[in-house]
Amino acid sequence: MIIAMQAESTTEEIDNVCQRIRDFGYMPHVIRGEERTVIAAIGHGDKKEHIEQLKSLNGVENAFPILQPFKLVSREVKKQKSEIRVGDIKIGDGGFVVMAGPCSVEGREQIMATAEAVAESGARILRGGAYKPRTSPYDFQGLAEEGLKLLAEARERTGLKIITEVLDTEDVEIVREYADILQVGARNMQNFALLKRLGEVNKPIMLKRGLSATIKEFLLSAEYIVTHGNHEVILCERGIRTFETATRNTLDLAAVPLLNELTHLPVIVDPSHGTGKRSLVRPLARAAVAVGGDGLMTEVHPCPEEAWSDGPQSLRPDEFALLMKEIEPYVNLRQGFVS
Ligand code: PEP
Ligand code: MN
């Protein structure tokens, strides 16, 4: 349930409400907004008598049940959009943040050339996989720590922040050491052990939508990370499996405004994995801005023909530069209607 405190409620009153919530067998989560504090009481079933009793406590304005199955990530609990800070970059503040880079970190020359090119064109965050979730065990699996070191070197050189995937609970610590944002790949969206472990991490997590995940499942996975203590979650729509085989996945653009209705978490769009086709990336990047995405993740490679993974969907640096120019008017136009 949600307990909305009066604007002038005191710390003692908030503490008292939290204690009563614990006494009733729920877990309190205090969410301090700009105007007022809201307390989410999470547990099994919101009993009517508990709601009535909480309503009568000093400092409480109102108490009501949370209707959605996901609680802490829902808009019911927090009306204001969450802003995730990564150094001086804000994701979810109404602006549009671009993350770009190769599918996999392949070596120094490749990652430095890509980092410099995407930084030059206006990307703020460098992507690149050091631990790769490959469909075939015979495919390149990533450079592991060597890849993380190269990403860190590219950050030093360009000032870009780094996002990279963590595949396994065992690697969380090492990836956390190097990365600015930890990425959970589509195949791991329901790896609950990993999600719980990432709830204990003090860095932002970008959670990609599972290949066949519904919006509800997606948000419940985000809820796992948040209930375990990490509120810094970014969602990423990266396409889902449908009957259509002309594209690698079907990029669900309706998910973006829908997620914006249902959750306060920022939403990023990945048209690279969403389509699997280089020629479709720029049009869908423009669409991502128009539907209210908070940013973009796109694959860029200095020479896609030679990429060790996902070459067909990777943009060349000049195409990426064009993408950045093309989205600019959309970013400027939409100021004022993004919720
Ligand atoms: C990736 O971004 O490198 C990736 C593997 O994407 P996804 O998990 O969406 O397939
Ligand atoms: Mn890829």
Side-chain angles (χ1 to χ4, degrees), residues 196-216:
K196 287 183 198 172
R197 176 71 187 84
L198 292 171
E200 295 159 8
V201 163
N202 61 352
K203 284 193 174 169
I205 310 297
M206 187 173 88
L207 178 66
K208 298 189 88 175
R209 183 177 179 183
L211 277 68
S212 326
T214 63
I215 296 289
K216 182 172 141 188

Side-chain angles (χ1 to χ4, degrees), residues 103 132 134 248 273 278 299 304 307-314:
C103 181
K132 294 304 300 176
R134 304 307 300 280
R248 181 178 179 185
H273 295 89
R278 181 178 309 124
E299 289 184 339
W308 296 359
S309 57
D310 286 351
Q313 68 194 32
S314 299

Side-chain angles (χ1 to χ4, degrees), residues 65-129:
I66 305 172
L67 302 175
Q68 296 285 7
F70 39 88
K71 309 291 179 190
L72 294 177
V73 305
S74 96
R75 279 268 185 182
E76 289 178 72
V77 167
K78 187 164 173 268
K79 298 266 177 293
Q80 270 166 296
K81 183 119 183 173
S82 288
E83 282 180 22
I84 311 287
R85 281 168 194 266
V86 188
D88 62 339
I89 304 167
K90 282 191 210 156
I91 304 175
D93 70 342
F96 196 78
V97 176
V98 178
M99 312 175 179
C103 181
S104 307
V105 180
E106 298 168 7
R108 179 172 283 107
E109 208 178 307
Q110 172 245 22
I111 195 67
M112 296 308 158
T114 316
E116 275 165 9
V118 300
E120 171 97 356
S121 297
R124 303 293 311 277
I125 299 172
L126 177 67
R127 64 144 289 144

